[in-house]
């Protein structure tokens, strides 16, 4: 057979096309890292200084609930952003949309770093913090809604599982980085009451770092990243939302929504609640940070292997395995840690095992959802199917309080974890094998 000419090559076989794919993948990994860094700023960096934003004499439960609420409103903002910016991603392009949202979350993170506390402006302090986190969440929801489809649309079909896992590796990577940064900051600025060095100034350092990283995302996408060639060649639809919520696309969305709801419940029942909950139980901040850091490093190591396993064996069986682990092993691990909050070994081993099991759920989610939708609505479909299901799980702090009427508050996160695991398994059972379809 004669040599294939350049004009006859498939796009994925063209060296220039592959180079663009690698560039968009690296950019999206960094962008999602910054996204998740911003998401976990209040959970990790602000949790030790939450007394700065509450009235004097607030109880530990009140402070833990505010910490969780700050995290929750950012999750509520993400589906709002996925709807708004998903439509933009399908109408004006993935790259342009990423530039817009990067400017937005950079601005919000910078403003939060400058906020005064309760002693200066009273109840406006937590109100402004919640508002900025909500708006920031909307921009962060727009980030992966645009940047991830851009990268995945350059991914070779046989490597989509790996590409998707590498995109989401920013999740544990950000978790580990912010934990190290916060621990180092706490060494320089001692933690204490609302007037302590960390409460007054220390927590601002991770937010300033987040602002700088966000500006870097904005500059990189605005100057260096190409637009998706698949999107450029696709015929746009007049109303992406109407197309998404009709016919076969609606069925795909509903299946993805069940799976995504499970992933968010699992996340909230493990890493989302972990720092505030174990602080309430009396665990030392150093032990909490060590647990999160170990889990993040293990999660980063496992992500590519989970992604490749999903590509080789199918997303469905791998999700069933992960769901089963989160339904059986993880609750027992978390129970051991909760029953021994003063034991470093129990919290580190039990807590890290539960967090890792929750983290790896996200190793396949990008490829899993992306394959369900056609190019003309992929940004909307992926972003909304990933983000909108996070709304109900985002109110988990109040579910925990409600559950405490029937059981000890300390054990309530286990219920959230189990519920998420059941939904994840249900979504996997409803799924079709789409790993070999062409995007």
């Amino acid at each position: 057979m004669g040599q294939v000419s350049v004009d006859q090559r498939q796009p994925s076989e063209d060296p220039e096309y592959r180079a663009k794919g690698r560039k968009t993948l690296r950019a999206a990994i960094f962008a999602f890292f910054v996204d998740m860094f911003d998401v976990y700023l209040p959970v990790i960096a602000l949790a030790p200084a939450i007394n700065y934003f509450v009235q004097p004499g607030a109880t530990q439960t009140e402070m833990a609930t505010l910490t969780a609420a700050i995290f929750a409103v950012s999750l509520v903002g993400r589906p709002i952003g996925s709807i708004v910016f998903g439509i933009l991603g399908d109408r004006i392009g993935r790259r342009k949309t990423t530039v817009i949202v990067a400017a937005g979350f950079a601005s919000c993170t910078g403003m939060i770093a400058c906020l005064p506390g309760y002693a200066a402006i009273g109840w406006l302090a937590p109100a402004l913090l919640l508002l900025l986190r909500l708006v920031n969440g909307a921009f962060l929801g727009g980030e992966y809604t645009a940047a991830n489809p851009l990268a995945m649309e350059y991914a070779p079909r046989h490597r989509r599982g790996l590409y998707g896992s590498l995109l989401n590796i920013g999740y544990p990577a950000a978790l580990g980085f912010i934990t190290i940064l916060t621990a180092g900051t706490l060494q320089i600025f001692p933690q204490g009451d609302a007037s302590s060095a960390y409460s007054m100034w220390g927590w601002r350092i991770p937010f300033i770092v987040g602002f700088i990283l966000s500006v870097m995302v904005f500059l990189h996408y605005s100057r260096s990243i190409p637009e998706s060639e698949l999107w450029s060649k696709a015929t746009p639809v007049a109303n992406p939302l109407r197309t998404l919520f009709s016919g076969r696309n609606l069925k795909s969305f509903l299946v993805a929504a069940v799976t995504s709801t499970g992933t968010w419940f699992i996340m909230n029942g493990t890493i989302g609640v972990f720092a505030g909950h174990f602080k309430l139980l009396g665990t030392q901040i150093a032990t909490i940070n060590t647990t999160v850091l170990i889990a993040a490093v293990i999660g980063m190591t496992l992500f590519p292997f989970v992604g490749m396993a999903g590509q080789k064996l199918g997303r469905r069986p791998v999700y069933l395995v992960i769901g089963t682990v989160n339904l059986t092993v993880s609750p027992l691990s978390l129970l051991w840690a909760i029953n021994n909050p003063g034991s470093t070994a129990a919290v580190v081993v039990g807590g890290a095992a539960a967090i890792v099991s929750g983290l790896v759920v996200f190793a396949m989610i990008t490829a899993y959802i992306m394959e369900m939708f056609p190019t003309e609505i992929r940004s909307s479909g992926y972003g909304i199917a990933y983000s909108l299901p996070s709304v109900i799980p985002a109110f988990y702090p109040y579910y925990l309080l409600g559950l405490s009427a029937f059981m000890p508050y300390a054990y309530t996160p286990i219920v959230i974890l189990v519920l998420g695991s059941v939904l994840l398994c249900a979504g996997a059972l409803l799924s079709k094998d789409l790993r070999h379809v062409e995007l």
Side-chain angles (χ1 to χ4, degrees):
M1 296 178 65
Q3 187 175 5
V4 177
S5 68
V6 173
D7 292 337
Q8 293 175 313
R9 287 174 179 160
Q10 294 296 319
S12 60
E13 298 173 346
D14 182 70
E16 183 179 352
Y17 189 91
R18 291 202 304 269
K20 288 181 179 179
R22 289 190 294 269
K23 179 180 287 188
T24 58
L25 175 63
R26 289 192 296 268
I29 291 172
F30 178 62
F32 194 66
F33 166 81
V34 176
D35 183 310
M36 297 309 300
F37 181 89
D38 272 9
V39 166
Y40 283 104
L41 278 171
V43 178
I44 306 297
L46 195 54
I50 198 64
N51 50 13
Y52 180 70
F53 289 95
V54 299
Q55 61 185 1
T59 66
Q60 287 292 324
T61 300
E62 289 171 337
M63 287 190 284
T65 301
L66 176 60
T67 302
I70 295 167
F71 180 60
V73 295
S74 66
L75 294 182
V76 171
R78 289 160 82 85
I80 297 173
S82 70
I83 294 171
V84 174
F85 298 110
I87 294 172
L88 278 182
D90 288 327
R91 296 301 297 275
I92 70 171
R94 324 304 197 201
R95 189 193 71 84
K96 290 180 181 178
T97 303
T98 304
V99 171
I100 292 170
V101 298
F105 62 73
S107 300
C108 289
T109 304
M111 286 188 282
I112 291 174
C114 301
L115 280 178
Y118 190 94
I121 58 174
W123 64 269
L124 278 175
L128 287 173
L129 178 58
L130 288 168
L131 177 61
L132 284 171
R133 286 301 298 179
L134 176 64
V135 176
N136 198 33
F139 283 117
L140 292 172
E143 180 277 317
Y144 53 76
T145 296
N148 284 5
L150 171 55
M152 290 296 286
E153 285 172 348
Y154 278 105
R157 183 181 60 183
H158 66 284
R159 303 189 72 186
R160 268 205 308 266
L162 178 61
Y163 265 54
S165 66
L166 291 176
L167 284 175
N168 283 72
I169 208 169
Y171 178 13
L175 199 57
F177 178 63
I178 194 172
T179 301
I180 293 172
L181 179 61
T182 300
T185 305
L186 282 166
Q187 292 295 316
I188 301 171
F189 298 91
Q191 178 194 3
D193 58 23
S195 61
S196 67
Y198 188 84
S199 295
M200 293 293 293
W201 304 108
W203 66 270
R204 302 180 194 274
I205 293 176
F207 277 85
I208 292 171
V209 172
F211 168 74
I212 295 171
L213 292 174
S214 301
V215 171
M216 290 171 63
V217 173
F218 168 77
L219 293 174
H220 189 48
Y221 271 88
S222 60
R223 295 178 177 179
S224 305
I225 301 303
E227 183 54 87
S228 164
E229 291 190 13
L230 275 182
W231 173 82
S232 299
K233 296 174 182 177
T235 302
V237 295
N239 190 328
L241 287 184
R242 181 180 298 171
T243 305
L244 173 61
F245 294 116
S246 61
R248 183 184 300 176
N249 293 324
L250 176 59
K251 294 179 182 179
S252 296
F253 175 82
L254 293 175
V255 172
V258 173
T259 307
S260 293
T261 302
T263 64
W264 289 112
F265 267 120
I266 290 172
M267 185 199 73
N268 291 333
T270 52
I271 185 57
V273 74
F274 190 80
H277 197 72
F278 277 87
K279 183 183 177 184
L280 176 64
L281 295 177
T283 304
Q284 295 294 315
I285 292 294
T287 301
I288 293 172
N289 288 340
T290 299
T291 304
V292 173
L293 180 59
I294 290 173
V297 172
I298 296 174
M300 287 177 60
T301 304
L302 291 178
F303 262 49
F305 294 101
V306 174
M308 289 187 290
Q311 190 65 45
K312 183 175 182 179
L313 305 174
R315 323 287 183 217
R316 176 179 177 175
V318 175
Y319 260 148
L320 285 173
V321 171
I322 294 173
T324 301
V325 170
N326 277 290
L327 191 59
T328 55
V329 178
S330 296
L332 294 175
S333 299
L334 194 58
L335 178 64
W336 179 35
I338 290 171
N339 281 335
N340 301 277
S343 167
T344 300
V347 173
V348 170
V349 177
I355 292 172
V356 168
S357 300
L359 283 173
V360 296
V361 172
F362 288 87
M364 288 198 308
I365 196 71
T366 293
Y368 170 81
I369 298 178
M370 207 81 68
E371 292 163 345
M372 294 184 177
F373 302 104
T375 301
E376 59 269 21
I377 60 163
R378 186 167 293 124
S379 189
S380 301
Y382 164 70
I384 298 173
Y386 178 68
S387 299
L388 189 59
S390 72
V391 174
I392 293 176
F395 292 97
Y396 73 91
Y398 306 102
Y399 305 151
L400 301 184
L401 291 174
L403 287 168
S404 67
F406 308 99
M407 61 187 296
Y409 182 81
Y411 301 121
T412 53
I414 296 175
V415 178
I416 303 298
L417 172 58
V418 169
L419 174 60
S421 304
V422 170
L423 290 171
L424 179 66
C425 289
L429 289 171
L430 293 170
S431 301
K432 295 181 179 179
D433 186 5
L434 301 174
R435 60 196 155 115
H436 297 308
V437 301
E438 291 287 355
L439 294 184

